[in-house]
């Protein structure tokens, strides 16, 4: 079997994991109505997943450092399937939260190990493309996974989404077992050494860009479904289309961000992307009753948000080029912590202010990220 097909299998696995993380935002209102809880309580399902991903994944990776990678991947997928099956069969929000903890940890391990294996099975000189293909699975989950999850939840029930993911996960186990070669474990940098980089002001400032950028994203995206249904008055059918369009825009943004970074440099792209991000969020607030403006700004917002991925990855690498792997690991941890924090802050805003206020608070977080980029730029120039 060609290395390309093996990498595509890993990318599809990444798609399943990404869908399990992001689909909650698309079906939040249905979960709240079904379980009899508020939108804010249901929104914490995002927080729980992200916290488990952020803290659980590094611990598991350190404890299983010497374990053969294919064996570890199969075990992680097994727990991922179990967590989705539990989400499908267990009643109540408390047990659903418990399944999300297991889902978050296992999903994080699946992604990390998939990227490791992808670099091993790729042809020499094609390791970067292999990583990009696996990460593209995550982007595809926004384009297809979230809107498809919404459609399924509307046609059947929201639990069916997790049932289907569990079944597809079982298929993935068979494919991985049959087609992916064994890959030996490797040394992993200890958590103490990883966290030691946070004592460096440059590293801390660079990672704070990720933190506040993703908080801004999570505050709005976690509650985008109730926002568009309630504050805007959008129909279910229109919402499904908008979620799909936003997903396509995220792919365009990611591609544009990579091209622009090569052409104009990471700091310029970060500044431009964050600026457009903030402007779009403010105009979304003003465009609630102006459909053309609202849709245009949602597309601009999604493009701007995801254009920041390539330059920010490069940003954290250039801060500590001798510790590339550690910086990327820390960046991933910070990203998930920010997802959790954003969902939590968004919940507080919805509960204590209003659903319409989430765009303004999200924009405020983007302003802080903008300031962090400027500070990091000055520190680098020194």
């Amino acid at each position: 079997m060609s290395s390309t097909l093996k990498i595509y299998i890993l990318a599809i696995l990444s798609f399943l994991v990404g869908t399990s993380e992001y689909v909650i935002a698309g079906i939040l209102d249905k979960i709240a109505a079904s379980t009899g809880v508020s939108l804010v309580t249901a929104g914490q399902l995002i927080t729980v997943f992200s916290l488990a991903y952020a803290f659980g994944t590094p611990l598991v990776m350190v404890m299983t450092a010497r374990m053969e990678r294919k064996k570890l991947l199969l075990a992680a997928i097994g727990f991922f399937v179990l967590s989705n099956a539990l989400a499908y069969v267990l009643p109540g929000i408390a047990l659903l939260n418990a399944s999300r903890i297991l889902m978050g940890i296992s999903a994080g391990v699946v992604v990390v190990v998939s990227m490791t294996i992808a670099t091993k099975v790729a042809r020499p000189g094609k390791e970067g493309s292999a990583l990009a293909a696996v990460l593209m699975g995550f982007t595809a989950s926004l384009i297809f996974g979230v809107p498809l999850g919404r459609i399924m939840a509307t046609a059947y029930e929201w639990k069916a989404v997790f049932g289907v993911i569990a079944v597809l996960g079982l298929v993935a186990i068979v494919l991985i077992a049959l087609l992916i070669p064994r890959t030996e474990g490797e040394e992993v940098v200890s958590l103490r050494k990883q966290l030691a980089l946070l004592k460096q002001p440059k590293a801390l400032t660079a990672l704070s860009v990720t933190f506040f950028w993703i908080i801004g994203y999570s505050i709005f995206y976690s509650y985008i479904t109730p926002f568009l249904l309630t504050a805007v008055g959008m129909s279910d059918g229109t919402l499904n289309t908008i979620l799909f369009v936003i997903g396509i825009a995220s792919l365009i943004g990611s591609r544009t961000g990579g091209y622009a970074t090569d052409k104009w440099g990471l700091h310029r792209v970060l500044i431009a992307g964050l600026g457009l991000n903030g402007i779009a969020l403010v105009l979304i607030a003003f465009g609630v009753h102006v459909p053309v403006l609202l849709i245009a700004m949602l597309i601009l917002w999604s493009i701007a948000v995801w254009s920041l991925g390539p330059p920010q990855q490069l940003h954290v690498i250039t801060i500590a080029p001798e510790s590339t792997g550690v910086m990327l690991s820390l960046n991933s941890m910070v990203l998930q912590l920010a997802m959790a924090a954003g969902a939590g802050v968004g919940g507080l805003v919805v509960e204590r202010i209003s659903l319409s206020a989430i765009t303004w608070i999200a924009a405020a977080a983007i302003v802080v990220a903008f300031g962090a980029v400027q500070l990091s730029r000055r520190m680098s120039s020194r």
Side-chain angles (χ1 to χ4, degrees):
M1 171 185 278
S2 70
S3 61
T4 301
L5 186 54
K6 293 173 184 175
I7 291 166
Y8 281 152
I9 291 172
L10 296 172
I12 292 171
L13 190 55
S14 179
F15 170 81
L16 288 179
V17 169
T19 299
S20 73
E21 176 169 13
Y22 295 124
V23 75
I24 293 293
I27 59 176
L28 194 63
D29 58 317
K30 297 186 179 297
I31 293 176
S34 172
T35 56
V37 300
S38 67
L39 285 173
V40 174
T41 301
Q44 300 317 301
L45 292 167
I46 300 171
T47 302
V48 166
F49 181 102
S50 296
L51 286 175
Y53 191 121
F55 290 113
T57 302
L59 287 173
V60 172
M61 292 308 298
V62 168
M63 290 188 295
T64 59
R66 298 183 183 278
M67 188 174 178
E68 193 269 316
R69 300 293 90 176
K70 178 179 175 178
K71 185 177 179 180
L72 177 58
L73 180 59
L74 288 170
I77 302 172
F79 281 110
F80 178 71
V81 168
L82 174 62
S83 65
N84 279 277
L86 291 174
Y88 178 69
V89 301
L90 294 178
I93 196 71
L95 293 175
L96 183 57
N97 268 307
S99 72
R100 291 288 286 177
I101 293 173
L102 179 59
M103 202 181 297
I105 297 172
S106 57
V109 176
V110 166
V111 171
V112 173
V113 180
S114 293
M115 289 193 293
T116 301
I117 293 177
T119 61
K120 303 294 185 182
V121 301
R123 294 194 303 273
K126 298 292 184 180
E127 292 85 358
S129 297
L131 285 174
V134 174
L135 291 173
M136 189 62 69
F138 253 98
T139 306
S141 70
L142 284 170
I143 300 172
F144 301 109
V146 175
L148 284 175
R150 178 75 192 182
I151 292 170
M152 188 180 299
T154 301
Y156 303 100
E157 60 168 354
W158 62 268
K159 279 181 172 287
V161 176
F162 295 104
V164 170
I165 292 175
V167 171
L168 293 176
L170 289 173
V171 175
I173 288 176
V174 175
L175 291 175
I176 296 295
L178 293 176
L179 304 176
I180 299 299
R182 289 173 53 86
T183 305
E184 292 306 315
E186 54 192 27
E187 293 293 336
V188 173
V189 180
S190 69
L191 289 177
R192 180 179 296 179
K193 289 183 179 179
Q194 291 186 42
L195 296 176
L197 274 173
L198 294 179
K199 296 178 182 179
Q200 300 180 15
K202 283 185 178 181
L204 194 58
T205 303
L207 290 170
S208 71
V209 175
T210 296
F211 187 75
F212 288 105
W213 153 45
I214 295 297
I215 276 187
Y217 168 76
S218 182
I219 287 172
F220 181 52
Y221 193 75
S222 296
Y223 292 91
I224 192 171
T225 295
F227 175 82
L228 294 177
L229 289 173
T230 306
V232 178
M234 196 173 280
S235 68
D236 249 335
T238 304
L239 175 61
N240 293 337
T241 303
I242 291 299
L243 289 175
F244 180 74
V245 170
I246 289 174
I248 294 291
S250 71
L251 178 59
I252 294 171
S254 182
R255 294 287 182 140
T256 303
Y259 172 79
T261 300
D262 291 338
K263 190 172 181 64
W264 293 301
L266 65 92
H267 287 108
R268 288 183 180 179
V269 179
L270 286 173
I271 289 169
L274 287 168
L276 290 173
N277 193 342
I279 290 169
L281 285 167
V282 170
L283 291 178
I284 286 170
F286 284 117
V288 167
H289 302 297
V290 186
V292 174
L293 176 62
L294 176 66
I295 293 170
M297 288 304 102
L298 283 170
I299 293 171
L300 175 62
W301 168 76
S302 188
I303 290 174
V305 164
W306 290 97
S307 71
L308 297 167
Q312 181 56 11
Q313 292 274 19
L314 184 60
H315 186 201
V316 298
I317 290 173
T318 55
I319 290 298
E322 73 287 353
S323 305
T324 297
V326 176
M327 284 301 294
L328 288 176
S329 175
L330 286 172
N331 192 55
S332 178
M333 183 188 296
V334 168
L335 188 150
Q336 290 298 332
L337 287 175
M339 285 288 289
V345 171
L348 289 174
V349 173
V350 171
E351 192 172 55
R352 300 188 179 183
I353 306 176
S354 71
L355 190 56
S356 301
I358 57 174
T359 55
W360 293 100
I361 306 302
I366 296 302
V367 170
V368 178
F370 189 92
V373 171
Q374 298 285 22
L375 177 59
S376 180
R377 190 178 191 178
R378 285 197 293 269
M379 292 172 74
S380 296
S381 65
R382 295 197 199 109

